């Protein structure tokens, strides 16, 4: 199965995208559900309330139904409730045909097929089950005027068959949290009752807490709400759904009507829809402080779409420039920027640095929890803060941060850390404890490990010499090679550890690339990514020197590509490679903005294993019939092609006589697919291309491959001529007329003598 | 079969007249009758084909039970679903013709079926279409070819300006038929299924196992046919499979395709034809009439034909 998807590969028949917010997950399925759909695997990711958007399911095979039923069975064990939205007619057919197709899930809406005979056009119209309950029960969807010609379009289904399942479903309405999610995240229309704005208010000694839930529209009770507000007022907007123009205007009026001298407004958990409409001069009026808000994010790796919660205080220095902090995907931990629109980002420039006290924020958290409890689970979005920004402590700090990240370029230092200890991978680090003034309170049980000391010394001695710096990352003891990687400071320990491990793996790949002696391989493969790698690192170095504010973006680029590269390496190599022994050294640093973590990781890999891997990556597969030789995808190529982790690289091609002679297929070209089949490695290419060529020998056609060479994505191929068979005598047979007539009417004959 | 006499029973005079006229083209001796009570007079042991309206299904079943020399064919203007249990129960009722409301059976389908029942050779796919039809044929060996071919069927329908839902329905039907031919049909020398255990597997059929798909249209009908060289589709799988699927209830997932494959074929085609040469060949044909919109199609009684030849 998998576009963007939670479980897919390029060219997959089914694409699944995932949108998550707190306890609500929406899976959107697009394409064909057949034997490739692995229901139980997809179900593993499910939790909380599951919404299945099935509007774009085009086909479903009988075996696909079996997988689907397994999926629903597995999901029912994990999800509190299941809702189906925008079911395509194809899906409704299955609900009608297979009794346990939907499990205990409820259909909230479906597409009814309509047809205009005059235009000969088929359309589909979304029907909300709750709104059209009577019509469904009466099995009579009305005709509607055709959008093109105005003639009536009719419901193009047999109502009795089409509504079989829906007639057995009781009237259902999504609960408020689901309705909010649908309206806000999916821009999905839900019933008016579910969307009506509700206001919950709680007044305590610390301040006033207001929670708004529903659509913000003309009915926003601004006057009533503003009445008597005083002191610190926290407005929780996590459950606000759609915000229309009237709603935004009313909100602006509300803000204006709250007297600045008696009340101070703080906004928390503003939804993206609210941000776009209300983070402006009117909506914030230069006096409203935003504590947290949500930014849309889509993971490029697992395709999870989610709203990530952003703490304005923590990221203000980034946000004020209308840029997005980086997010870590909560599902797969991939780091990527937000997908917020330019308009959205532009709104962030109107934010002011929040000054809410710790007590007020604690009160707000407690109030939010308290208000939500009786409602029975309409949970506010619970995405963890998962951003990896530069420190917000001014330029000096920012530089130190970047410096710390730049392994081979800069000397570690700058940040004063107070405590560190070494520990082995199976021992968790004991967190250091710091007092409020940043002073170290507990005692370090271990001195710095020797390998760390040596590494720092070598790095320092490199004095900017890239080759020497690179060498510092590799240590050798007997038959073992050690690769060191380290992370930048980050408030998230797990993230810091992951980044350090990636850096170490990256060094290992780099070492392998440079160890290959074969000149052809080096010129074909290494040259492709080494240049890109150097370019990225040079850009970063330049950005740091210039202090041009682009450091974050450059570093993001480095991180992103390196992560891709490491992931590719792990996918393509031996098991031992994926889990080498490692030593970890960690520092916990307390700075003004809180705790920061830095990791140094040393991977131990046997030289023999490296030699075996090098052999694997450099062994060429010859495809005699094509007169070309190819090698497997080398992980380092991910610096150049981060979107790929497999393929075959052309290392030799006979361009004088081979079938590819008139094509731009050259040395270094990465072949990604052939005959629409994904190419895993050189052997797969050989198998596919030879089969294809054989298949086309007589009937003719094109041997076609999708390739990458530098920035060019090309479909390359060559034509195989059709073998024209000699004229044959076609013997017509009778069409089954009675004897005597047979053969008299020589038509309707399939020209295949076997049938 | 050696049948040379056709007994035609329909209480509707107009239908009876039309059916009689069409069947005259078979060259067989025809005995039309409106009243079922006349039927016993002709049950004299002569091998005959009884063609009747489903209104008289009880009479037909009675005759088939007592007269082993009689073969039958039944047409219905109501849902064919009701007739499936009869066909499942009675081996000599293997042809159910669905007709539009208040209409006689399709002339070409009636003649085509009866002619074959009277011993005519299988006339090929072209006989189901008007002269001048167009189409394509492909041999399918691998799962990748299967997927490409399914898309080819969809593109073919697109070229014919078929509505989107018909295109997808035919894509689905092609996939279903090919899955049966590639995964369910092949057996080894000992008769054990070769690929049925893992329908998710990427397989490559041996040259002797290759499935053949044909898809053709004359602009009025679209026909799809998939043939495998095994001839292992038993009659009972067809009629019981469809009946079971129509029965609803919890899905039986013990078999490869959850037991729904036959129902899929039945639901996707106005006319389904199963040609089986036991041990040699199975051909499944689905026919759809392009002038029918989906609303009509859903309510249209389906035709099912099962031919087994040796």
């Amino acid at each position: 199965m998998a576009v963007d998807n939670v479980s897919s590969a390029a060219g997959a028949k089914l694409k699944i995208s995932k949108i998550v917010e707190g306890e609500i997950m929406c899976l959107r399925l697009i394409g064909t559900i057949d034997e490739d759909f692995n229901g139980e695997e997809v179900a593993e990711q499910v939790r909380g309330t599951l919404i299945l958007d099935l509007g774009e399911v085009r086909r479903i095979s009988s075996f696909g139904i079996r997988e689907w039923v397994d999926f629903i069975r597995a999901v029912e064990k994990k999800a509190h409730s299941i809702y189906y939205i925008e079911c395509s007619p194809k899906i409704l057919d299955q609900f009608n045909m297979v009794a346990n197709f939907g499990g205990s899930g409820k259909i909230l809406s479906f597409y009814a097929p309509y047809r205009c005979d005059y235009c000969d056009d088929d359309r589909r119209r979304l029907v909300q089950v709750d709104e059209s309950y009577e019509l469904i029960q009466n099995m009579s969807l009305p005709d509607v005027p055709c959008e093109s010609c105005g003639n009536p379009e009719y419901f193009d289904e047999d109502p009795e068959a089409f509504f079989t399942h829906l007639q057995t479903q009781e009237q259902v309405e999504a609960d408020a949290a689901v309705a909010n999610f649908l309206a806000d995240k999916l821009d999905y229309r839900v019933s008016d009752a579910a969307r009506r704005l509700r206001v919950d208010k709680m007044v305590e000694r610390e301040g006033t807490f207001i929670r708004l839930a529903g659509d913000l529209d003309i009915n926003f009770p601004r006057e009533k709400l503003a009445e008597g507000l005083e002191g610190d007022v926290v407005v929780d907007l996590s459950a606000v759904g759609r915000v229309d123009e009237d709603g935004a205007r009313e909100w602006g009026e509300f803000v204006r009507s709250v007297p600045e001298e008696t009340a101070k407004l703080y906004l928390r958990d503003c939804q993206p829809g609210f941000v776009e409409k209300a983070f402006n001069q009117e909506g914030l009026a230069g006096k409203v402080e935003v504590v947290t808000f949500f930014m849309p994010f889509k993971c490029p790796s697992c395709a999870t779409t989610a709203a990530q919660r952003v703490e304005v205080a923590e990221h203000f220095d980034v946000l004020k420039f209308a840029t997005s902090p980086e997010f870590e995907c909560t599902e797969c931990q991939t780091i990527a920027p937000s997908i917020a629109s330019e308009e959205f980002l532009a709104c962030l420039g109107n934010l002011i640095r929040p000054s809410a006290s710790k007590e007020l924020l604690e009160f707000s958290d407690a109030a939010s929890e308290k208000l939500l409890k009786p409602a029975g689970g309409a949970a506010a979005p619970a995405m963890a803060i998962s951003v990896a920004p530069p420190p917000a402590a001014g330029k000096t700090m920012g530089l130190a941060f970047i410096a710390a990240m730049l392994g081979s370029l800069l000397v570690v230092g700058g940040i004063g850390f107070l405590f560190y200890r070494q520990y082995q991978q199976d021992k968790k680090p004991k967190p250091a404890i710091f007092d409020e003034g940043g002073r170290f309170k507990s005692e370090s049980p271990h001195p710095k490990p020797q390998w760390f000391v040596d590494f720092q010394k070598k790095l320092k001695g490199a004095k900017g010499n890239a080759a020497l710096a690179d060498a510092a990352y590799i240590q050798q003891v007997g038959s073992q090679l050690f690769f060191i990687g380290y992370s930048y400071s980050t408030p998230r320990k797990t993230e810091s550890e992951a980044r350090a491990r990636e850096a170490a793996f990256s060094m290992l790949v780099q070492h392998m690339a440079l160890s290959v002696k074969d000149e052809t391989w080096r010129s074909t493969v290494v040259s492709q990514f080494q240049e890109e790698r150097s370019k990225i690192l040079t850009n970063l170095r330049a950005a740091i020197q210039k202090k041009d504010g682009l450091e974050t973006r450059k570093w993001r680029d480095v991180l992103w590509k390196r992560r891709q590269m490491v992931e590719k390496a792990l996918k393509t190599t031996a098991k031992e490679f994926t889990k080498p022994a490692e030593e970890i050294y960690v520092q916990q640093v307390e700075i003004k903005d809180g705790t920061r973590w830095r990791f140094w990781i040393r991977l131990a890999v046997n030289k023999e294993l490296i030699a075996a891997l090098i052999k694997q990556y450099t062994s060429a597969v010859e495809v005699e019939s094509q007169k070309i030789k190819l090698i497997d995808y080398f992980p380092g190529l991910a610096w150049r092609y981060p979107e790929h982790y497999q393929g075959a690289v052309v290392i030799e091609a006979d361009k004088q006589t081979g079938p590819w002679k008139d094509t731009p297929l050259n040395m270094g070209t990465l072949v990604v697919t052939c005959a629409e089949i994904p190419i895993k490695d050189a052997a797969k290419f050989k198998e596919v291309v030879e089969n294809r060529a054989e298949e086309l020998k007589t009937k003719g056609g094109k041997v076609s491959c999708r390739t990458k060479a530098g920035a060019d994505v090309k479909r390359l191929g060559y034509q195989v001529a059709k073998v024209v068979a000699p004229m044959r005598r076609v013997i017509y047979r009778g069409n089954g007329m009675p004897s005597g007539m047979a053969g008299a009417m020589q038509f309707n004959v399939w020209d295949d003598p076997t049938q | 079969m050696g049948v040379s006499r056709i007994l035609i029973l329909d209480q509707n005079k107009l239908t009876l007249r039309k059916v009689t006229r069409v069947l005259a083209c078979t060259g067989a001796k025809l005995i039309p009758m409106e009243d079922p009570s006349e039927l016993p007079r002709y049950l004299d042991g002569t091998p005959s084909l009884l063609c009747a309206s489903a209104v008289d299904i009880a009479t037909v079943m009675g005759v088939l039970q007592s007269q082993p020399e009689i073969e039958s064919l039944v047409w219905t203007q109501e849902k064919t679903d009701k007739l499936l249990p009869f066909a499942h129960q009675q081996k000599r009722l293997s042809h159910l013709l669905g007709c539009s409301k208040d209409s006689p059976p399709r002339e070409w389908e009636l003649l085509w079926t009866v002619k074959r029942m009277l011993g005519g050779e299988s006339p090929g796919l072209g006989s189901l279409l008007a002269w001048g039809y167009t189409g394509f044929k492909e041999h399918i060996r691998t799962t990748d070819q299967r997927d490409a071919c399914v898309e080819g069927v969809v593109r073919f329908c697109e070229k014919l300006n078929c509505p989107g839902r018909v295109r997808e329905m035919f894509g689905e039907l092609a996939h279903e038929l090919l899955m049966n031919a590639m995964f369910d049909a092949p057996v080894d020398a000992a008769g054990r299924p070769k690929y049925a255990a893992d329908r998710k597997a990427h397989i490559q059929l041996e040259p002797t196992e290759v499935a053949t798909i044909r898809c053709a249209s004359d602009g009025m009908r679209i026909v799809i046919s998939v043939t495998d060289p095994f001839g292992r589709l038993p009659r009972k799988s067809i009629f019981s499979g469809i009946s079971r699927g129509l029965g609803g209830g919890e899905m039986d997932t013990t078999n490869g395709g959850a037991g729904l494959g036959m129902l899929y074929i039945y639901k996707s085609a106005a006319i389904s034809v199963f040609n089986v040469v036991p041990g040699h060949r199975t051909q499944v044909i689905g026919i759809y009439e392009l002038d029918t919109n989906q609303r009509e199609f859903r309510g249209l009684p389906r035709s099912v034909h099962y031919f087994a030849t040796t």
Side-chain angles (χ1 to χ4, degrees):
Chain A
M1 291 173 312
V3 199
D4 51 280
N5 75 30
V6 289
S7 50
S8 68
K13 290 179 273 184
L14 182 68
K15 295 168 179 180
I16 306 176
S17 56
K18 182 168 59 179
I19 303 168
V20 186
E21 185 174 293
E23 281 300 293
I24 303 175
M25 174 183 280
C26 175
L27 294 180
R28 180 176 281 159
L29 280 72
I30 302 166
T32 301
I33 298 173
D34 61 10
E35 61 283 346
D36 290 340
F37 173 64
N38 196 336
E40 286 181 347
E41 191 184 303
V42 177
E44 275 172 22
Q45 313 164 42
V46 170
R47 60 173 185 264
T49 298
L50 177 66
I51 298 168
L52 287 162
D53 179 344
L54 306 175
E56 296 302 325
V57 174
R58 288 159 53 209
R59 292 180 221 149
I60 179 163
S61 73
S62 61
F63 196 76
I65 292 180
R66 176 184 173 154
E67 286 294 315
W68 178 266
V69 170
D70 287 345
F71 167 66
I72 291 298
R73 272 199 201 117
V75 158
E76 282 191 309
K77 289 178 193 155
K78 303 180 86 176
H80 312 144
S81 43
I82 307 170
Y83 294 104
Y84 298 95
I85 59 169
E86 304 197 0
C87 299
S88 65
K90 178 52 62 187
I91 290 296
L92 253 275
D93 277 352
Q94 310 316 316
F95 270 103
N96 296 328
M97 205 160 75
V98 182
N100 47 342
F101 184 81
S104 57
K106 301 290 178 205
I107 300 174
L108 294 183
S109 63
F110 62 90
Y111 281 106
Y114 271 77
R115 178 171 174 77
C116 173
D117 278 337
Y118 188 79
C119 299
D120 189 22
D121 213 351
D122 288 322
R123 297 195 180 92
R124 50 187 216 170
R125 296 185 179 274
L126 189 63
V127 179
Q128 304 288 341
V129 172
D130 58 346
E131 286 176 7
S132 308
Y133 189 71
E134 289 298 315
L135 293 173
I136 292 166
Q137 291 303 315
N138 295 331
M139 297 192 293
S140 59
L141 289 187
D143 289 358
V144 290
C146 169
E147 290 159 12
S148 306
C149 67
N151 286 315
E153 264 182 24
Y154 59 86
F155 173 57
D156 190 17
E157 264 292 352
D158 175 17
E160 207 178 310
F162 194 75
F163 294 120
T164 308
H165 175 81
L166 281 166
Q167 285 201 311
T168 63
Q169 179 178 297
E170 287 171 11
Q171 196 152 14
V172 60
E173 199 172 274
D175 68 37
V178 172
N180 282 337
F181 178 85
L182 291 172
D184 187 52
K185 301 296 171 306
L186 308 182
D187 197 24
Y188 180 87
R189 199 163 60 87
V190 288
S191 65
D192 291 345
R195 305 301 317 130
R196 205 163 296 132
L197 190 77
R198 286 196 321 278
V199 181
D200 294 312
K201 190 171 171 182
M202 184 187 278
V203 183
E204 298 280 348
R205 185 180 51 82
E206 296 89 341
T208 303
F209 182 85
I210 296 170
R211 184 171 188 272
L212 303 181
D215 285 350
L216 196 57
D217 54 21
I218 189 78
N219 298 315
F220 178 50
R222 62 177 167 86
E223 284 171 2
K224 201 174 165 192
L225 198 62
E227 230 175 64
L229 281 185
E230 57 179 23
D232 288 336
V233 180
V234 180
V235 184
D236 181 338
L237 296 151
S238 61
V240 167
R242 189 169 290 146
V243 181
D244 64 15
E245 295 302 326
D246 292 333
R249 198 173 50 247
E250 291 296 310
W251 172 264
E253 288 294 316
F254 163 70
V255 168
R256 205 170 53 84
S257 64
V258 176
E260 203 171 347
E261 51 285 1
T262 56
K264 172 86 178 162
L265 282 178
Y266 298 90
L267 309 186
R268 58 172 271 163
D269 294 347
C270 308
Q271 293 291 350
F274 182 85
V275 173
E276 283 185 354
K277 293 277 170 48
F279 276 25
N280 49 32
Q281 285 307 318
E282 292 74 37
L284 300 180
K287 63 181 183 181
V288 178
E289 288 188 10
V290 178
V291 181
T292 54
F293 67 93
F294 287 91
M295 283 188 92
F297 157 84
K298 186 167 193 177
C299 175
S301 178
C302 71
T304 295
T305 305
Q308 295 268 18
R309 194 165 185 249
V310 178
E311 297 267 3
V312 176
E314 191 175 353
H315 306 295
F316 185 73
D317 289 343
V318 176
L319 299 171
K320 71 180 178 187
F321 291 116
T323 53
S324 156
E326 283 183 330
F327 297 107
E328 184 178 84
C329 174
T330 48
E331 300 295 308
C332 71
Q333 278 74 51
T334 296
I335 286 191
S338 164
I339 51 162
S341 63
E342 289 295 323
E343 292 75 19
F344 185 104
L345 292 172
C347 293
L348 304 181
N350 295 316
L351 291 171
I352 55 175
R353 192 186 287 274
S355 60
S357 67
K358 198 177 167 190
E359 291 72 30
L360 183 67
L361 295 179
E362 281 171 2
F363 155 69
S364 137
D365 287 343
S368 170
E369 203 173 315
K370 203 168 175 182
L371 278 179
L372 285 174
K373 259 186 187 166
M383 301 302 286
I385 307 164
S386 54
V387 289
K395 277 183 182 172
T396 315
M397 197 62 204
L399 263 182
F401 169 74
I402 295 298
M405 295 188 293
L406 228 193
S408 60
L409 302 174
L410 299 169
V411 176
V412 175
I415 304 174
F417 63 86
L418 301 168
F419 180 69
Y420 46 81
R421 59 173 287 196
Q422 175 193 6
Y423 68 112
Q424 299 299 320
Q425 71 182 103
D426 55 346
K427 294 178 191 165
K428 291 193 173 168
K430 184 179 167 189
I433 303 163
F434 301 90
D435 65 17
E436 284 179 359
R439 295 188 61 184
F440 172 61
K441 281 166 81 176
S442 70
E443 195 172 337
S444 167
H446 292 295
K448 293 174 191 173
Q450 193 53 45
W451 63 265
F452 171 77
V453 175
D454 293 345
F455 168 66
Q456 297 288 56
K457 206 186 281 176
K458 274 192 181 176
L459 208 55
K460 213 170 184 175
K463 288 180 182 167
N465 181 317
L468 287 176
D470 269 357
Y473 289 84
I474 302 170
Q475 298 173 344
Q476 185 176 348
V477 180
S479 63
Q480 290 282 316
L481 279 173
F482 298 92
F483 301 91
I484 299 169
Y486 65 88
S487 67
Y488 50 90
S489 290
T490 164
R492 291 165 66 89
K493 199 167 108 182
T494 49
E495 183 195 330
S496 183
E497 185 176 349
R499 295 302 88 81
R501 191 167 289 112
E502 283 164 12
F505 269 111
S506 163
M507 285 314 300
L508 168 51
V509 173
Q510 178 71 0
H511 170 76
M512 283 198 296
L514 299 179
S515 302
V516 175
K517 302 284 178 251
D518 183 336
E519 274 309 314
T520 316
W521 193 89
R522 288 176 75 101
S523 61
T524 312
V525 179
V526 181
S527 62
Q528 287 203 55
F529 69 84
Q530 209 66 322
E531 194 184 327
E532 186 69 16
R533 178 177 181 265
S534 304
K535 198 170 82 187
I536 293 167
L537 294 176
T538 308
N539 284 344
L540 177 58
R541 203 179 305 141
I544 291 167
Q545 283 166 358
K546 276 195 222 163
K547 301 177 186 172
D548 63 359
L550 292 173
E551 300 98 318
T552 310
R553 190 175 297 171
K554 304 284 184 197
W555 180 243
R556 192 184 295 160
D557 202 16
V558 173
L559 270 187
W560 165 246
K561 293 204 171 182
R562 192 173 67 191
R563 166 165 278 219
Q564 292 305 307
M565 193 270 290
V566 171
E567 282 178 1
K568 274 53 172 180
L570 296 182
K571 279 182 184 173
T572 55
T573 49
K575 237 182 198 172
E576 298 82 355
F577 178 78
T578 62
K579 286 191 177 169
E582 61 184 31
E583 293 166 89
I584 302 174
Y585 168 65
V586 65
Q587 292 177 354
Q588 190 181 20
V589 180
E590 195 73 5
I591 60 169
K592 187 180 142 201
D593 292 335
T595 304
R596 292 287 183 272
W597 296 88
R598 295 192 67 199
F599 275 74
W600 280 257
I601 291 185
R602 188 169 86 142
L603 301 179
V605 186
N606 194 291
K607 278 163 106 177
E608 283 175 14
L609 174 65
I610 292 179
L613 288 170
I614 290 174
K615 194 176 171 194
Q616 177 193 324
Y617 287 123
T618 52
S619 300
V621 172
E622 185 173 5
V623 191
E624 298 88 349
S625 62
Q626 304 292 308
K627 298 200 172 177
I628 51 177
K629 279 187 186 173
L630 300 100
I631 49 160
D632 294 352
Y633 180 96
F634 181 73
L637 286 168
W639 284 104
R640 188 66 183 258
Y641 308 119
E643 66 281 23
H644 297 295
Y645 65 90
Q646 58 180 22
V649 180
V650 178
I651 201 159
E652 203 177 304
D654 180 349
K655 299 301 293 284
Q656 303 300 318
T657 58
W660 298 90
K661 62 181 175 184
D662 297 323
T663 71
L665 185 98
N666 289 314
M667 280 173 66
T669 301
L670 173 67
V671 182
V672 184
T673 67
C674 181
E676 305 298 336
I677 298 168
I679 297 303
K680 194 176 77 184
D681 50 28
K684 179 72 179 172
F685 174 78
K686 181 177 176 172
E687 178 200 326
V688 173
V689 79
E690 284 183 339
N691 281 347
R692 179 70 178 158
E694 181 66 27
E695 186 190 323
L696 300 179
K697 248 181 187 171
T698 49
K699 67 177 183 181
K702 196 169 184 185
V703 175
S704 172
C705 297
R706 196 154 65 84
T707 64
K708 286 210 88 167
D712 291 341
V713 182
K714 277 190 180 154
R715 191 168 282 281
L716 307 182
Y718 65 87
Q719 196 71 32
V720 178
K722 185 177 179 177
V723 176
V724 182
M727 290 289 285
R728 68 184 174 90
R729 191 172 156 220
V730 178
I731 303 167
Y732 289 103
R733 292 178 295 147
N735 68 336
M737 296 300 288
S739 59
M741 291 175 77
M745 302 173 75
Q746 295 169 345
F747 47 73
N748 291 348
V749 179
W750 186 263
D751 64 356
D752 171 17
T754 62
Q755 189 52 218
Chain B
M1 181 183 170
V3 171
S4 58
R5 191 176 71 162
I6 303 176
L7 307 171
I8 309 168
L9 172 62
D10 197 313
Q11 295 178 37
N12 182 317
K13 190 178 286 202
L14 295 177
T15 304
L16 181 65
R17 194 183 300 157
K18 188 158 187 179
V19 169
T20 306
R21 192 174 68 219
V22 171
L23 294 185
C25 301
T26 62
K29 182 183 176 191
L30 306 181
I31 303 174
M33 63 197 89
E34 280 176 61
D35 188 352
S37 64
E38 290 179 44
L39 194 56
R41 279 205 287 151
Y42 302 102
L43 303 177
D44 51 8
T46 311
S48 306
L49 171 61
L50 173 59
C51 299
S53 159
V55 175
D56 296 309
I57 186 68
T59 307
V60 173
M61 291 301 284
V63 168
L64 293 174
Q65 214 161 14
S66 60
Q67 308 289 323
E69 73 286 355
I70 303 276
E71 292 286 328
S72 65
L73 174 155
V74 171
W75 55 82
T76 180
Q77 280 127 359
E78 292 181 9
K79 289 214 161 184
T80 317
D81 310 6
K82 295 175 189 167
L83 291 178
L84 290 165
F86 294 110
H88 178 46
Q89 179 189 333
Q90 176 52 260
K91 280 186 179 174
R92 280 175 289 128
L93 175 57
S94 294
H95 302 277
L96 310 174
L97 280 77
C99 329
S100 305
K101 203 168 166 40
D102 301 327
S103 301
R106 299 173 189 89
E107 299 85 347
W108 66 268
E109 184 192 359
L110 181 67
L111 183 59
W112 185 88
T113 309
V114 172
K115 193 58 205 162
R116 284 202 63 189
M117 291 179 78
L118 293 183
E121 275 182 27
S122 173
L125 204 69
S127 64
L128 298 165
L129 298 161
W131 185 87
Y133 64 87
T134 183
F136 68 88
K137 178 174 93 171
E138 273 192 49
H139 298 297
I140 308 296
R141 256 189 100 176
T142 66
T143 34
D144 290 333
Q145 287 173 347
R146 173 201 65 198
D147 293 343
C149 179
V150 167
E151 295 309 318
V153 169
V154 174
R155 281 197 299 275
F156 180 74
C157 295
E158 207 173 342
K159 279 186 187 166
L160 294 170
N161 278 330
C162 293
R165 293 172 70 199
V166 175
R167 292 201 295 264
E168 298 303 343
M169 190 174 76
F170 255 73
E172 225 170 53
L173 179 59
H175 183 267
E176 202 64 46
L177 295 177
L178 285 170
M179 286 296 284
N180 288 346
M182 296 174 74
F183 284 85
D184 295 331
V187 284
D188 61 17
R192 287 184 299 259
K194 281 181 76 173
Y195 310 108
D198 182 9
R199 291 165 70 97
K200 284 171 175 283
H202 284 254
I203 58 167
Q204 178 158 10
L205 299 175
E206 299 296 329
T208 52
E209 299 169 345
V210 170
T212 306
I213 183 168
R214 296 174 180 84
C215 188
S217 175
D218 57 8
M220 291 170 286
R221 287 189 283 274
I222 181 164
V223 177
I224 188 166
S225 145
V226 171
T227 308
D228 70 65
F230 293 93
R232 290 182 59 241
L233 181 61
R235 184 184 183 282
K236 67 173 183 186
S237 295
I238 298 165
F239 292 104
S240 71
I242 301 171
S243 301
R244 198 175 66 225
L246 287 169
E250 289 288 305
M251 190 179 57
D252 171 16
T253 56
T254 52
N255 298 316
L260 281 171
M262 286 301 152
L263 182 63
Y264 253 69
I265 297 164
Y266 175 77
K267 288 242 174 193
S268 307
I271 303 166
S272 311
V273 182
F274 300 87
N275 289 319
V276 181
V277 184
H280 291 285
R281 186 163 61 90
T282 299
Q283 181 186 31
V284 183
I285 304 173
I287 304 166
Y288 179 82
E289 290 165 314
L290 292 169
D291 285 336
T292 322
N293 66 32
Q294 284 287 303
R295 183 162 64 178
E296 290 163 348
F297 177 64
R298 299 284 175 184
L300 184 73
R302 304 293 197 259
S303 292
V304 183
H305 300 282
Y306 175 77
F307 295 98
T309 49
T310 48

